Amino acid sequence: MTATDNTAGLLLARLDRIPNWTLPRLYALVIGIGFLFTFYDIFDINVSFIQTCMALVPGCTPAKSGAYIGLPVLLNLAGYVVGTLVLSPLADRMGRRDLLLVTMILTGIGSALTAIVQSYGTFVAARAFTGIGIGADLAIVNTYIGELAPAGGRARYTSMIFIFSALGAVAGIWLGLWLTTPPTPLPLGLPFALAGKGFPDGWRVMYLIGAALALVGVLLRFQLPESPRWLIAQGRLEEAGQVVADMEARAHAIFPLPPLPERLPPAPRREEAMPFSAIFRNATYRNRTLLLTVMWFLAYITVYSFAAGFTTLLAALHYPPPEAGLITAMGTFGFVLCAIVAYVWGERMERRRWTPLAALITLGGGVLIALGGQTLWLSVIGAMIVFFGFNVWVPIAYAWSVENYPTRARTTGFALVDGIGHLGGGVGMIAIAPLIPRLGVMAAFLLIGGFLALAALVAQFGISTRARRLDDISP
């Protein structure tokens, strides 16, 4: 072992012995603000699209809006795939922190463009551009968190940041309810909602708010340090040593650090970042990639059918739009609760065990909505359960996907499985959404939730990663 390899191994050992999140709390807020905006942008179309459709598509009505939501969601997801496959691998070559700035800038520009479009076609194009930034941002953020979190807390701290995602979803849907639905007496809507003949552009305000959030995220991200694991893999040991020393100092201020192991871990391979082709030439990573891609593809059919189309889904099932929007908005509180549950208990079970639990909860919530009929309080409780179920496994699966790849290919690998997997969301919106009015409530919710159950079955063939060193899981 050379002196350089010995130094690299020592830095990894020092990093791996840190038992908790030791970056300043401000940094967690910085990352969280970015996630808040990303999920705000994903969910803001849910309630607001009915007003968008009526403004941009001649003859569009709330009942007909379901026929138009599929294309912008599909092309947003196509942009997501392009962004994550093209931009995310650059983070394995150029570093995590700089690409985090680029992706947030792109996403903010896309949101600003969406706010000023004048036709359905340009709206669809703007959503596609926004997707480019979102796709790469999610991949890099999750990689960044996974590389900074301790071995026993990667799912926990990914879930901690995911709490901001839930808040972004809540903001996107509740603002949509306030800005884009007409005033309606409780409990069928919001009596103080603003939409109407005098205010037809609430949906534009929503996207302008998204652009402002992105600007805040960009300014804050300048303060983030580079990932020390990436610096070590690049041979930039002095810079990595400074980041690790800062983390150790904060950890030691709380309690003494455990001693270093007698035998240092091997230095990471000094190789160029792995291109997609290299991942598929490696049997281990090829098999992991195929399994995770299928899992995400199936699961995202469920996730995006609900995340982007829950209000439109309820409207197609003959719920009045204000009531459908209110049910969806109340359901987002289940999203917040699931993020907290994942943060507190995410490390209690192996990663793949969470997906079948999530599928059962999602199906249960859908059945409750179907059995509740037009009973509002049952529909609200069912919506909360659905939002809890289809989201609770996501941050844990994010952490799991990151763990399946080595440092030199971590962002690239996540981009592959999450990016291609997102095409499943497009399938859900294009192929399944038009079937909803003919299926009925029970069949619709069972069909959509059933894809998450299939994803859960696939996940059971994956590897165990909980509480293991990243370099042991993926050398």
Side-chain angles (χ1 to χ4, degrees):
M1 179 181 290
T2 67
T4 299
D5 288 343
N6 189 65
T7 302
L10 177 61
L11 285 171
L12 286 174
R14 289 168 58 190
L15 189 58
D16 286 334
R17 70 171 174 163
I18 298 174
N20 58 349
W21 180 270
T22 53
L23 291 179
R25 292 180 181 178
L26 175 63
Y27 290 175
L29 176 63
V30 170
I31 302 169
I33 290 290
F35 247 35
L36 185 150
F37 165 67
T38 298
F39 276 75
Y40 172 89
D41 190 83
I42 290 172
F43 279 80
D44 59 7
I45 196 173
N46 197 311
V47 175
S48 68
F49 182 74
I50 291 176
Q51 189 188 57
T52 306
C53 184
M54 294 172 67
L56 298 179
V57 179
C60 182
T61 64
K64 294 179 180 179
S65 62
Y68 295 96
I69 193 173
L71 186 58
V73 172
L74 177 63
L75 291 190
N76 179 261
L77 292 172
Y80 185 112
V81 174
V82 170
T84 196
L85 294 181
V86 173
L87 296 179
S88 297
L90 295 178
D92 286 331
R93 298 177 181 275
M94 301 168 59
R96 317 314 193 199
R97 184 252 190 192
D98 289 347
L99 265 295
L100 284 172
L101 294 172
V102 172
T103 55
M104 186 55 63
I105 289 170
L106 291 175
T107 310
I109 292 173
S111 192
L113 290 174
T114 307
I116 61 174
V117 299
Q118 298 298 320
S119 67
Y120 178 70
T122 53
F123 176 81
V124 171
R127 295 304 298 160
F129 184 88
T130 308
I132 293 173
I134 288 178
D137 197 73
L138 276 175
I140 301 169
V141 166
N142 281 293
T143 299
Y144 187 80
I145 297 168
E147 292 182 345
L148 288 169
R154 287 186 294 266
R156 174 179 173 83
Y157 291 107
T158 302
S159 299
M160 176 183 71
I161 302 301
F162 196 70
I163 293 173
F164 288 90
S165 307
L167 295 176
V170 169
I173 288 180
W174 277 95
L175 278 174
L177 190 64
W178 178 47
L179 294 171
T180 70
T181 64
T184 306
L186 289 171
L188 301 180
L190 290 183
F192 51 87
L194 299 179
K197 292 183 179 180
F199 188 60
D201 294 323
W203 63 277
R204 295 187 188 275
V205 175
M206 291 192 63
Y207 290 110
L208 287 175
I209 292 172
L213 287 172
L215 176 61
V216 172
V218 170
L219 296 176
L220 290 175
R221 283 184 178 186
F222 276 102
Q223 303 177 66
L224 294 175
E226 183 53 85
S227 161
R229 292 186 187 274
W230 182 82
L231 291 170
I232 294 169
Q234 297 297 308
R236 295 163 59 175
L237 303 183
E238 185 175 345
E239 296 172 69
Q242 184 59 57
V243 177
V244 173
D246 290 344
M247 294 171 69
E248 287 176 322
R250 293 188 188 91
H252 189 73
I254 302 172
F255 44 74
L257 290 172
L260 291 168
E262 294 183 6
R263 187 173 183 179
L264 297 179
R269 298 179 186 178
R270 291 293 305 279
E271 300 176 12
E272 292 292 327
M274 293 174 67
F276 296 123
S277 59
I279 290 176
F280 283 104
R281 285 197 301 268
N282 183 304
T284 296
Y285 297 124
R286 178 176 65 246
N287 292 338
R288 293 180 183 182
T289 297
L290 293 174
L291 182 143
L292 289 170
T293 299
V294 173
M295 179 197 76
W296 281 113
F297 185 94
L298 292 169
Y300 275 139
I301 295 176
T302 299
V303 168
Y304 273 86
S305 294
F306 288 140
F310 199 84
T311 302
T312 306
L313 166 67
L314 292 176
L317 294 170
H318 308 297
Y319 286 80
E323 183 180 8
L326 182 63
I327 292 170
T328 302
M330 295 299 293
T332 59
F333 292 118
F335 191 170
V336 176
L337 179 60
C338 86
I340 296 171
V341 167
Y343 172 68
V344 175
W345 286 290
E347 296 289 353
R348 300 289 182 89
M349 289 195 301
E350 192 54 62
R351 317 300 193 214
R352 62 182 183 271
R353 306 300 184 206
W354 281 92
T355 317
L357 177 63
L360 287 174
I361 294 171
T362 303
L363 289 168
V367 168
L368 183 60
I369 293 174
L371 294 178
Q374 296 298 313
T375 305
L376 181 63
W377 67 271
L378 282 178
S379 296
V380 167
I381 293 174
M384 289 181 180
I385 294 172
V386 167
F387 270 81
F388 182 100
F390 81 83
N391 285 297
V392 69
W393 69 286
V394 172
I396 298 162
Y398 280 163
W400 192 37
S401 298
V402 166
E403 292 163 340
N404 270 264
Y405 296 95
T407 301
R408 63 190 182 280
R410 193 158 286 133
T411 313
T412 302
F414 186 97
L416 265 174
V417 301
D418 184 64
I420 298 175
H422 264 79
L423 295 176
V427 170
M429 296 306 298
I430 293 294
I432 295 176
L435 301 176
I436 298 305
R438 299 195 296 271
L439 289 175
V441 182
M442 179 69 79
F445 279 101
L446 290 178
L447 174 63
I448 295 172
F451 285 100
L452 185 55
L454 290 175
L457 178 63
V458 172
Q460 303 316 300
F461 295 95
I463 62 171
S464 298
T465 61
R466 185 170 66 98
R468 296 174 61 193
R469 292 182 62 251
L470 282 174
D471 297 294
D472 290 339
I473 301 166
S474 304

